[in-house]
Amino acid sequence: MVPLSVAWDDIGGLVDAHERFLAGSMVESDVRDSVLDSWKRCRSVGLEPHRLLVRYTGDVALDERFRHAADPVLVDLTSSFADASMTIALCDGQGRMVERLGGDRQLRDRLDAVRFAPGFDASESVVGTNGVGTALAERGPVYIAGREHFADCLQPFACAGAPVRDPLSGRIQAVLDITCLRDQGDPAMVRMVREAARSIEARLLEQADLRERALLAAYRRADGHARDWPGQPDGLRPDLDGGALGRIDMAVLRAKAEELIASPHRTLDEVTLPSGRTATLLRRQVTGAAGETGVAVEARVLGGPRLRHLDMAPAPGETGIPAAPTGEGRLGSAVRRPAGSPVTHSTPAPQAPATTPVTAPDGEAAGAEGWLLLVGEPGVGRLAMLARRRLELLHDASVRIGTTLDVTRTAEELAEVTVPRFADFVAVDLPDSVLRGEEPEALGGRTSLRRVAIRAVRRQPHNLYDVGDTVEYVPSTPQARSLETRQSVMEPVLTEADGWIAQDPERLTPVLEAGIHSLITVPLRARGTTLGVVSFYRSLQPDSYEDDDLSLAQELVGRAAICIDNARRYTREHNTALALQRSLLPRGRSEQSAVEVAYRYLPAQAGVGGDWFDVIPLSGARVALVVGDVVGHGLHAAATMGRLRTAVHNFCSLDLSPDDLLTHLDDLVGRLDRGEGWAAENSPDSGIVGATCLYAVYDPVSRRCTLTRAGHPLPAVVAPDGSVEFVDLPACPPLGLGGMPFETVELELAEGSRLVLYTDGLVEDRHRDIDAGLDDLRAVLAGADRSPEDTCEAVLDALLPARPGDDVALLVARTHSLGADRVAQWDLPSDPAVVSRSRAAVTAQLAEWGLEELTFTTELIASELVTNAIRHATGPVQLRLLRDRALICEVSDGSGTSPRLRRAQSTDEGGRGLFLVAQLTERWGTRYTPDGKVIWTEQPLPGRCR
C-alpha cells in the first residue's frame, strides 16, 4: 500500500506546496490540516528548512518505574520488525531521545547523519515536523512522510509517533516513534505505535494496582486484620444499630479523605456531615514490604452507628482489591474500573476495624472502633482532588457562561469563572468585527484585536494590556500561534518562552519579575470560525500548567466560544432589524409651524419591535400626529410597521378625516392578515398581524384637535398652567379586527399646550400595571413648564427601567396658533359678479402682507377657484388666504363633488382653468368637510418673506 502523501510527493505537488508555503502563499487545499498546522508552528518559531541547530543532552533517562513497564513492550515491538528496516525510538516528555532500537546499518547511519539519535532533541521547535516532536505538539498519534517534514534533511524518511501518558496523572511521560525510509512508509505504522503506547500505559496501571495492594496488605498486617469479612449480597444496605449514613454523608467523607491524603502536613480533620453528625478523620503513613509508601485514612462518626460490612469481589475483567468489604453503610466504597483505565483518585480500601483507638482533636477517645476509609498514594489523592475541582469548574462554567446575548458580557463571564480557581489572570481578546456582530476575518499574526475582558487576582494586571486596548500579537507569541494554527498552546515555563517576551520586552519583563510563570492560550473557535483568543496566566498558584489543565482550558473556551458566537449572531440580527426599523422611522423634523415637536424611540433589549410615530403636514397649515404599535418583535414587526406608516402617509395625502383614515388602515391590516396567513405555518416570524394606533389632527387656525384611536393608550394634554388630563377617547378595538366604527373626539387647545402621545411600553410592563404607569406619567408631566425636548427626557428618566422589556415611542407636541393677522377670509354669495371683488380683496391683502410678487398668480388662482365654485357647486362659498410657511389659498363650498384635472383639446373653449392652477402652484388638492369640500393650493413665499 503506497501512502497518499508519497504518491502526491512523487508528482511534485507536495514539493510545490512546501515551496509556496515558505513563500507565504496559501496551500490549505494541498496539505493535510495537521501537517499544515505543524508547518505554521515551525515558521512561527523561526525555523529554516535548510539549516537546523539540534541540541544534545548527554544524560537523558527515564525513571525506573517507566522503564520497567516499557522494556517488555519495546522488546516485543523490536522482534516484530526483525524482517523490516525500521527503527524504534523512545524519547522523554521533552522530545529528547533516550534509546533507539532496531533498523539495519544503512538506516541507522542515515539517521545518525541527521542527528536522530540518543541524546539529541527531536522536539518540533528544534527540528521541525517529525514523528516525535509533532506527536508532542499535537498530543496524539501522527504520521509524517517525505515532503511533509518541514526540514529538508528529514524528507527521505517516514515516521509515526505517539505519546505515552501516565495513566494516573494523564501527563505525557514519553514519546514512542517508528521510523523508516520514505518508500517503505505506511500509515498503518500509526496503529502499531499507538497500540505499543497503550500497552506501556496498561503496564503502568498494573504497577499502580500492585502498589495499592501492597499498601493495603501492609495496613492490615500492621493492625493484625488479615482475615476476610463475611460477604453480603451486593447493594444490600447493612444493618446499622444507630441508623444508616446517607449517600451524601459518605460522599462528603470520601472527598475529605482524598483531601487529607493529598495534604502532607495534616494528620487530623473534623467533618460536619449534612446529616448533622460529626466525623473525625485520621491520616496514617503506610509502608509496603517492597518500600511502597502511602497513606491510610481512618474515620469515626461521633455518636454514629456501629457498622457491619458487606463483601464485594471484583467482577470478571475488572481490577481492584479482591473481596473488598463494601456497602452503602460503610464510610468508603470500592471503585471498580476496567483494566487499563487511568486512576484519577485514591482507591478506596476495605473497612477493617482498627484496634488502635483514634484520638479526637480535643484529646478524648473518639469511640471504641475506628474504620478504614481510604488507602492510597499522596500523589493519586492530589489527582483525585484536582479532578473533582475541574469537574466543579466545568459545571459552574456551564451555568454561569452565556447568561446573556451580549458578546462582551459573555467574555467577562468566562474570565470571572476561571479566576482564581484555574488562573490568576485571564484576558479575552476579540476583533472589533465580532463585537459589531459581523463575520470575523481570518485571524493570524499581526491581527488587530481588542481586549474586551480581563480578570486578575491582584488589583493591577501586571503591566499587561487593559480592557479596551488594541493588541497586535507578533508571530512568535503563543497567542499568534494559536490564531495561526487554530490550536491551543501551553507554555509551562514562561521564562523560557522567548516568543512571548518578544511581544514587548519592556512591558513584559516586569510581568515575569512579578511572578507570572505559566501560560495557556486557546483560540476561541465556534462553527469553524476563529473569534479571538483567550490567555490564562498563573502567578500565585505554585503549580505550572500541565496536560489536564490544557484539556480543561480547551473545554472552557469551547463552551464560551459557542456562547460568544450565539451572542455575535444575535447582535448581527438585532442590528439588522434595528437598522431596518430606524430606516422606516421619520428622519429629521417635518416642515410645519402648527406644533413644536420632540420624539424618542428606544428599542427593547430583547429585540426590535414595531413601535412607530410620525408628524405629517396636512393642507391648511394643519398637522397630523401619529403613534402606533405593531404586535410582536423582530424583522416581521419592523417590516409591518413600515408598511403601515407608508399607508398612513398615503391616506393623509387624500386628506381623510381621522375616523376614515383608521377605517382604511383597519381594512389594510385585515387584508395583510388574510394575505399572509398561508405563511404562518412555514415562517416563525409571520402570522396574525395586530396593531394599535392613535391619530390626531391639529388645526392652528381654529386651535382645535381631532383625535381617534384603535386600541391605543390614551393621550395626555398638558395645559399651559401645568394641569394634566388624559383625553377620554372611546375605546375602539385594535386594527385588524374590523366591524366596529372608529369614533372621534374634538377639543380646543390653548396655545402652548403639550400633546403627549406614547406606546404602552412607556407605562406598562410585567412589574407595573397600566394604571400605575399612567399615574406616574401624570406626576412627571404636571406642573413644570418644559420644552418638548425636556419633557421627553423627564418622562424617560422617570418611567423607563435601565433595560426596558418592550420598545417605546414617545411624541411630545407643543401647539402654536396662526393669529388673525395671518388669516384672511371672505364669505361670497353665489353670484358671478363677486369674482372681480374677490380679486380686488386678494390684491389688497397681499399688499398688506408685503407679498406683491404673488399678486398676479394668486388673483388668477382665486378667480378660477371661485368661478368653479359658483358655477358647479352649491351652498355658500368662502375664500380664505393663510400666510404660513407657504401662501395658502382655499375656496370652500357645500358640494361633495371634487373637480378633476384634465387636458383640454386645442378646439375646446374651456377646461383649462384647473390645469393652469396646477401649473402655477406648488401643491393643490381637495379635502372633504362635514358640510362640503375645500379646494386648496400652496405657493412658496419669496425668500425674504419666509
Side-chain angles (χ1 to χ4, degrees), residues 389 392-394 396 400 417-423 538 541:
R389 290 176 180 174
E392 292 172 352
L393 179 57
L394 282 176
D396 289 349
R400 295 173 55 186
V417 166
T418 52
V419 174
R421 298 163 66 180
F422 180 70
R538 278 186 178 174
Q541 299 185 43

Side-chain angles (χ1 to χ4, degrees), residues 431-441 529 531 565 568-569 571-572 575:
D432 290 335
S433 57
V434 172
L435 298 176
R436 295 191 298 266
E438 302 170 0
E439 291 290 340
E441 301 175 355
T529 303
L531 304 173
D565 191 52
R568 178 191 66 82
R569 290 168 179 262
T571 300
R572 180 186 61 191
N575 290 343

Side-chain angles (χ1 to χ4, degrees), residues 4-15:
L4 177 62
S5 60
V6 175
W8 182 241
D9 190 2
D10 290 341
I11 62 175
L14 199 56
V15 177

Side-chain angles (χ1 to χ4, degrees), residues 600-618:
R600 295 290 187 274
Y601 171 74
L602 279 77
Q605 294 294 330
V608 173
D611 289 16
W612 57 284
F613 62 90
D614 219 332
V615 180
I616 306 172
L618 301 177

Side-chain angles (χ1 to χ4, degrees), residues 40-79:
K40 291 177 179 179
R41 291 192 294 266
C42 296
R43 182 175 61 185
S44 67
V45 297
L47 288 185
E48 299 181 22
H50 59 282
R51 184 169 53 192
L52 299 177
L53 181 61
V54 185
R55 296 190 292 259
Y56 177 79
T57 304
D59 55 350
V60 182
L62 294 169
D63 63 74
E64 290 300 324
R65 182 184 300 178
F66 184 89
R67 291 308 303 259
H68 180 71
D71 285 345
V73 177
L74 295 178
V75 170
D76 291 342
L77 188 61
T78 304
S79 63

Side-chain angles (χ1 to χ4, degrees), residues 130-389:
N130 72 93
V132 175
T134 305
L136 271 176
E138 297 281 344
R139 290 178 170 78
V142 297
Y143 175 75
I144 307 296
R147 291 289 180 172
E148 290 182 332
H149 289 90
F150 187 78
D152 296 339
C153 62
L154 297 180
Q155 292 176 1
F157 304 98
C159 54
V164 183
R165 299 178 182 271
D166 185 330
L168 298 180
S169 67
R171 296 178 185 147
I172 296 177
Q173 296 287 96
V175 181
L176 195 61
D177 174 88
I178 301 174
T179 300
C180 63
L181 293 177
R182 182 187 62 181
D183 295 339
Q184 300 175 10
D186 193 301
M189 294 162 57
V190 175
R191 179 179 57 82
M192 301 174 65
V193 73
R194 181 171 58 235
E195 290 178 353
R198 288 176 177 174
S199 297
I200 297 175
E201 292 170 354
R203 291 180 58 82
L204 288 171
L205 187 60
E206 291 174 1
Q207 290 181 6
D209 287 339
L210 293 175
R211 290 196 303 273
E212 291 172 354
R213 293 172 184 270
L215 292 174
L216 176 61
Y219 177 86
R220 297 175 69 180
R221 285 195 304 271
D223 285 347
H225 294 288
R227 63 186 179 88
D228 294 329
W229 296 96
Q232 297 287 347
D234 187 15
L236 180 67
R237 294 182 63 83
D239 179 18
L240 304 178
D241 297 337
L245 287 175
R247 292 179 180 273
I248 299 179
D249 288 342
M250 290 188 289
V252 171
L253 282 173
R254 188 178 301 115
K256 292 297 183 180
E258 290 172 354
E259 292 180 8
L260 195 59
I261 289 177
S263 304
H265 304 297
R266 295 173 56 193
T267 57
L268 281 173
D269 194 6
E270 188 172 286
V271 183
T272 300
L273 301 177
S275 62
R277 301 183 230 185
T278 302
T280 302
L281 304 181
L282 174 64
R283 185 181 193 270
R284 296 176 56 185
Q285 295 290 334
V286 179
T287 303
E292 304 90 349
T293 58
V295 175
V297 177
E298 297 173 346
R300 186 181 317 281
V301 180
L302 303 182
R306 182 182 181 87
L307 307 182
R308 294 183 181 180
H309 302 281
L310 300 179
D311 184 58
M312 179 181 71
E318 294 181 343
T319 61
I321 302 172
T326 184
E328 294 185 7
R330 64 185 178 82
L331 301 186
S333 60
V335 177
R336 294 176 174 178
R337 63 179 183 274
S341 62
V343 178
T344 57
H345 54 78
S346 301
T347 302
Q351 272 56 46
T355 56
T356 304
V358 179
T359 304
D362 56 3
E364 298 179 359
E369 277 188 322
W371 302 91
L372 177 63
L373 180 60
L374 291 177
V375 171
E377 298 176 88
V380 179
R382 170 184 172 274
L383 295 176
M385 186 170 56
L386 292 177
R388 182 178 296 108
R389 290 176 180 174

